[in-house]
Amino acid sequence: MSDDIAFVTGASGFVGSAVARLLAAKGYRLRLAVRASSRRDNVEGLGAEIVTADMRDEAALSEAMKGARYLFHVAADYRLWARDPEEIVRNNVLGTRAVMQAAKAADIERIVYTSSVATLKPHEDGTAVDETSRHTEQSAIGAYKRSKLVAERLVEEMVREGLPAIIVNPSTPIGPRDIKPTPTGRIIVEAACGRIPAFVDTGLNLVHVDDVAAGHLLALEKGKIGESYILGGEDVAFRTMVGVIAELSGHKAPTIALPRGPLFPLAYIAEAIARITGKEPFITADALKMAKYHMFFSSAKAERELGYRARPYRDALVDALAWFKHGGMLR
């Protein structure tokens, strides 16, 4: 138990709310930053102090952080597509800079910064990578990955100047309270409704969002300043993932394997329509480029140094499906 104030950005979101709920359960006093436009469903009943602040508003954040001891910067613009891709980069990079500058001004004692495995470069042979396999701006595919890469490098630079930050790199979180939902959550919903009849040869590392939250707290308690830790679960082929979702949802598993090449024209058409409607397309050219790789990751460092553990990915899918069903999204 602790009476120390933990400040959490992005607390109304998927990962942020999981972090906030765990901190509340551990007895931390919570001060949660949410945007004015954000839904509050995920933070109801936590007994937390809610402050309205955009992650790019350094002055508002500096004021809001006064008296807090710890910071979890979880907020991010998690989109794989936008009409203006550079908006994603600006939000994540400028937002991270503003939050970290505010933390310095508020004399925060320890910071856990939520980066992503998006900053890590997958191996060509599909074997799992660790924290040493780093992307460059040239190798990172898409605005989101590039934004998280640049933001992570910014945090590392500020650590060298005295910022007391630990970096965590979640893989692909799934589970309850995915209210938007995230891009992976959308895949789970579509697969559960029988709307994914085929698959491409790719793979993901799936982890329960509550295990990611537990990894954040372990990083706060045991992490070394300036170090980064992958918070992952199990490496799963995409075909296996959608097959398990189909099984759990009472649908026939897809059996048609599609090559990526012929899908690019569909992606370009989907993106053109999205630029008119403003609705994120289900398939994008960047997603197809990423699908060339099996995005497999090792959490061995976090397990060894933090005592991190993750449950089986199937349990995370069960919890995600139950939550989407309860929310009326599986129609």
Side-chain angles (χ1 to χ4, degrees):
M1 301 289 286
S2 174
D3 288 328
D4 296 317
I5 297 176
F7 190 95
V8 185
T9 69
S12 62
F14 183 36
V15 175
S17 64
V19 171
R21 286 173 178 274
L22 180 60
L23 289 168
K26 295 291 185 181
Y28 286 84
R29 292 171 58 195
L30 292 182
R31 191 175 298 159
L32 309 179
V34 300
R35 290 183 302 165
S37 60
S38 295
R39 289 172 55 177
R40 308 292 173 92
D41 313 40
N42 279 347
V43 294
E44 289 179 353
L46 290 184
E49 179 185 356
I50 307 292
V51 297
T52 302
D54 188 283
M55 68 173 174
R56 296 163 300 182
D57 189 340
E58 184 180 334
L61 290 166
S62 296
E63 183 65 27
M65 285 186 203
K66 285 182 179 178
R69 185 176 182 183
Y70 306 121
L71 164 66
F72 293 84
H73 177 36
V74 192
D77 186 342
Y78 182 25
R79 291 179 293 167
L80 300 184
W81 179 89
R83 275 189 176 131
D84 175 12
E86 290 306 309
E87 181 183 27
I88 298 172
V89 179
R90 289 192 299 271
N91 286 342
N92 286 331
V93 176
L94 298 181
T96 296
R97 178 181 284 114
V99 171
M100 295 304 155
Q101 292 287 14
K104 287 177 65 176
D107 201 25
I108 296 292
E109 183 178 318
R110 278 173 78 83
I111 299 165
V112 178
Y113 167 63
T114 310
S115 185
S116 167
V117 293
T119 67
L120 302 174
K121 187 176 182 179
H123 287 160
E124 294 278 352
D125 63 4
T127 55
V129 306
D130 63 15
E131 292 82 356
T132 64
S133 184
R134 293 156 67 92
H135 263 308
T136 65
E137 286 191 58
Q138 292 71 38
S139 66
I141 299 171
Y144 175 72
K145 287 196 173 193
R146 185 157 45 88
S147 74
K148 293 301 287 186
L149 174 71
V150 175
E152 183 179 282
R153 298 295 176 268
L154 172 65
V155 172
E156 290 173 340
E157 181 181 335
M158 295 181 74
V159 166
R160 289 191 287 271
E161 297 170 354
L163 187 76
I166 302 108
I167 298 167
V168 292
N169 301 80
S171 58
T172 306
I174 57 175
R177 300 179 300 278
D178 189 357
I179 56 175
K180 277 192 173 181
T182 59
T184 312
R186 291 175 66 198
I187 291 172
I188 294 172
V189 169
E190 294 298 306
C193 294
R195 294 193 289 262
I196 297 184
F199 57 88
V200 294
D201 180 21
T202 188
L204 301 169
N205 183 285
L206 300 176
V207 60
H208 197 295
V209 68
D210 291 339
D211 293 333
V212 171
H216 278 69
L217 188 54
L218 287 168
L220 178 76
E221 296 170 345
K222 301 179 181 181
K224 297 176 183 176
I225 301 298
E227 292 291 320
S228 59
Y229 301 92
I230 294 171
L231 303 179
E234 290 185 273
D235 294 327
V236 186
F238 186 73
R239 176 179 186 172
T240 302
M241 172 187 167
V242 294
V244 170
I245 295 169
E247 173 200 333
L248 293 171
S249 307
H251 294 289
K252 184 179 178 181
T255 57
I256 303 170
L258 295 176
R260 292 181 308 111
L263 296 176
F264 277 95
L266 293 177
Y268 295 136
I269 292 169
E271 290 182 29
I273 294 172
R275 280 190 284 274
I276 297 170
T277 64
K279 292 183 65 176
E280 186 172 347
F282 189 70
I283 183 173
T284 67
D286 282 342
L288 289 173
K289 292 174 185 175
M290 293 177 205
K292 175 183 178 182
Y293 303 97
H294 285 70
M295 289 166 279
F296 292 164
F297 301 94
S298 168
S299 302
K301 181 181 177 182
E303 293 168 1
R304 183 176 61 251
E305 297 187 15
L306 306 181
Y308 172 76
R309 296 293 182 271
R311 72 198 77 181
Y313 82 93
R314 187 185 178 99
D315 294 354
L317 282 175
V318 168
D319 286 354
L321 289 167
W323 193 86
F324 287 131
K325 183 176 182 180
H326 180 74
M329 300 178 69
L330 302 185
R331 297 171 181 168

